[in-house]
Amino acid sequence: MDIEAALERFHSLKLTDIMPRLESMPVVTADADLLSVLKVLRTRHHVWVVKDRDSMELVGFIRYIDVIDVLLPPGAHKFKLGITSKTMKSMLGGAARAEDIAERHALTIEENATVLEALVKMRKYRTQVLAVVEGKKLVGEVSLRILIDELLRLLRVGGAQWKP
């Protein structure tokens, strides 16, 4: 298998075939306390926030970098035009649960999408991770790291050699 054929096969893979198991993903419920969220973010770059474990309805996500807003005092978020919504994401500003600090506009992709569709969306929105959904239900995730791992696995299995 040459590189061109390997990439063509890679691009056509369905996300459902390469997603990690849901149990291994960083997920908290909307009512999880902030300390639980911080514990997950010690070792992960993001955490998905779902309504509850039964419905798995995606509420949003919290990125590692967002912890800065959680830890800052409310006054650190003030600007000349008033107080920003980030003030409300501060622990001292009243945030107590995962849903209080979650970004509500998570980038999603349908579970039957291909790797190529995921890559195009990642590039368009300049993100490294997408929530894989079935309707509003979180069923998986796809990240640039997962895609790189899958390509390397495919190249090893197929015996393709990169020849610049």
Side-chain angles (χ1 to χ4, degrees), residues 13-34:
L13 288 172
K14 294 287 186 188
L15 297 181
T16 52
D17 295 334
I18 64 169
M19 294 183 317
R21 292 184 338 272
L22 196 56
E23 302 82 46
S24 69
M25 289 174 38
V27 177
V28 297
T29 56
D31 63 351
D33 63 84
L34 292 187

Side-chain angles (χ1 to χ4, degrees), residues 31-139:
D31 63 351
D33 63 84
L34 292 187
L35 292 181
S36 298
V37 172
L38 293 175
K39 286 177 184 176
V40 174
L41 289 172
R42 283 189 311 184
T43 60
R44 301 301 291 256
H45 289 95
H46 65 279
V47 61
W48 302 109
V49 180
V50 296
K51 183 177 175 183
D52 54 62
R53 294 277 180 183
D54 291 330
S55 72
M56 290 301 285
E57 181 179 327
L58 183 62
V59 171
F61 69 103
I62 303 164
R63 297 173 303 164
Y64 182 70
I65 191 79
D66 296 334
V67 172
I68 294 170
D69 293 328
V70 173
L71 300 177
L72 281 171
H77 298 293
K78 290 183 181 177
F79 292 98
K80 291 181 182 176
L81 299 176
I83 299 174
T84 69
S85 63
K86 290 187 178 188
T87 298
M88 303 309 291
K89 292 189 177 197
S90 167
M91 287 175 94
L92 294 175
R97 299 172 314 212
E99 68 182 339
D100 297 335
I101 64 171
E103 169 59 50
R104 300 294 178 140
H105 305 288
L107 290 172
T108 63
I109 192 161
E110 289 293 323
E111 65 176 337
N112 61 354
T114 64
V115 165
L116 181 59
E117 291 168 311
L119 285 167
V120 168
K121 192 163 198 173
M122 287 175 168
R123 183 183 65 196
K124 179 177 181 181
Y125 293 102
R126 301 196 52 75
T127 189
Q128 298 173 14
V129 66
L130 299 170
V132 180
V133 295
E134 178 185 319
K136 293 182 179 182
K137 180 181 178 179
L138 179 69
V139 295

